[in-house]
Amino acid sequence: MALDIILLGPPGAGKGTQATRLEAERGMVQLSTGDMLRAAVKAGSPVGLQAKAVMEAGELVSDEIVSSLIGERLDELGVDTPVIFDGYPRTAAQADALDALLKARGRHLDHVIELEVDEEALVTRITGRFTCANCGEGYHDQFKLPLVPGTCDRCGHHEFKRRPDDNAETVRTRMAEYRAKTAPILPIYEARGIVTRIDGMADMDSVHDAIEAVLAPA
Ligand code: AP5
Ligand code: MG
């Protein structure tokens, strides 16, 4: 059976950074509801129109919308494709929905990895974040600048973009949402004995190695 995991942690914890690396190195597929919603907003689809203002305010999009996006993506994947859930589930209702979605497809969760971080440091991480407008490679004003200024390391493109919700004020709302609605779902998975906590303040390679140590025996 495929290895399915959840990466859990507040905004800027490094979920996307680590998921991208696991995709490249392990052939896992990252299912990020944030990325799916941003694509929907960009496309101007009905889901995007509903989600845009909610995301810009840093609040949570409805459980029904995100769970149906995840269900659709799971249906496109074979049961043998290992999946990283990034930014989903974020509420108790989404955790229930994920259980049902997985069960219906003969899948199950192997690990929930929580990236433990210092929220104040995350504000710096998030407000400094930018990505290549062409390939999506992630950068940071302080921690990871392109090797050649103004040129993407991965694809050579020269345009970069920042997320509209990556400002200090919205970040505070996103963190409050995490504390109020997402952190409380951890005990559901703790009761199943599948939670591992990792120091998300360590450098990116160390976080990666710690995740590998969890996944390797699987
Ligand atoms: P989403 O896109 O999921 O955003 P988020 O949870 O706020 O998380 P981020 O993507 O900001 O952070 P990350 O943990 O991926 O960090 P990253 O690796 O980029 O959601 C956005 C919005 O969509 C939500 O607010 C909500 O409105 C909506 N939404 C999404 N899913 C939903 C759901 N399930 N239900 C309802 N609504 C939903 O790293 C951040 C920065 O730090 C980068 O610059 C990176 O280079 C740097 N960095 C990473 N790791 C390290 C490290 N170890 N050391 C130093 N720097 C690091
Ligand atoms: Mg992310």
Side-chain angles (χ1 to χ4, degrees):
M1 202 182 283
L3 177 71
D4 289 346
I5 68 167
I6 295 175
L7 287 183
L8 205 67
K15 304 180 296 291
T17 301
Q18 297 300 330
T20 307
R21 195 149 162 198
L22 292 172
E23 277 199 315
E25 293 179 8
R26 278 185 167 260
M28 299 181 81
V29 170
Q30 172 196 21
L31 297 189
S32 158
T33 40
D35 288 349
M36 292 175 205
L37 291 167
R38 279 184 288 279
V41 169
K42 195 172 170 199
S45 70
V47 163
L49 292 175
Q50 268 183 275
K52 187 170 187 285
V54 180
M55 292 174 78
E56 282 175 6
E59 290 162 6
L60 294 186
V61 175
S62 82
D63 292 332
E64 293 72 23
I65 286 181
V66 292
S67 293
S68 90
L69 287 172
I70 289 285
E72 284 165 22
R73 287 291 285 117
L74 282 174
D75 285 337
E76 291 164 13
L77 301 173
V79 284
D80 296 328
T81 306
V83 167
I84 308 153
F85 295 100
D86 162 5
Y88 179 89
R90 264 175 148 95
T91 64
Q94 291 179 27
D96 286 346
L98 178 60
D99 282 343
L101 288 169
L102 292 175
K103 194 172 173 202
R105 291 162 180 79
R107 314 182 69 112
H108 82 282
L109 278 175
D110 295 281
H111 298 284
V112 175
I113 297 177
E114 187 199 6
L115 300 174
E116 287 189 300
V117 283
D118 162 7
E119 285 197 7
E120 280 312 309
L122 294 192
V123 177
T124 314
R125 271 199 197 176
I126 292 180
T127 52
R129 170 172 59 185
F130 62 99
T131 53
C132 171
N134 180 47
C135 74
E137 181 73 4
Y139 295 96
H140 192 278
D141 292 329
Q142 289 173 30
F143 309 125
K144 190 190 162 195
L145 284 166
L147 297 173
V148 177
T151 305
C152 176
D153 298 347
R154 187 158 84 178
C155 75
H157 199 78
H158 300 295
E159 276 170 81
F160 297 87
K161 60 181 182 181
R162 289 177 192 264
R163 276 169 45 177
D165 59 344
D166 277 354
N167 57 77
E169 191 192 338
T170 308
V171 168
R172 302 269 176 211
T173 308
R174 286 158 58 194
M175 285 179 175
E177 289 282 78
Y178 182 83
R179 276 195 302 270
K181 296 172 186 164
T182 308
I185 69 177
L186 263 167
I188 299 172
Y189 300 117
E190 274 166 346
R192 297 183 200 169
I194 56 170
V195 176
T196 305
R197 293 196 161 77
I198 284 178
D199 176 12
M201 297 314 294
D203 62 72
M204 294 180 201
D205 286 341
S206 304
V207 176
H208 172 73
D209 292 348
I211 294 174
E212 274 299 328
V214 176
L215 304 189

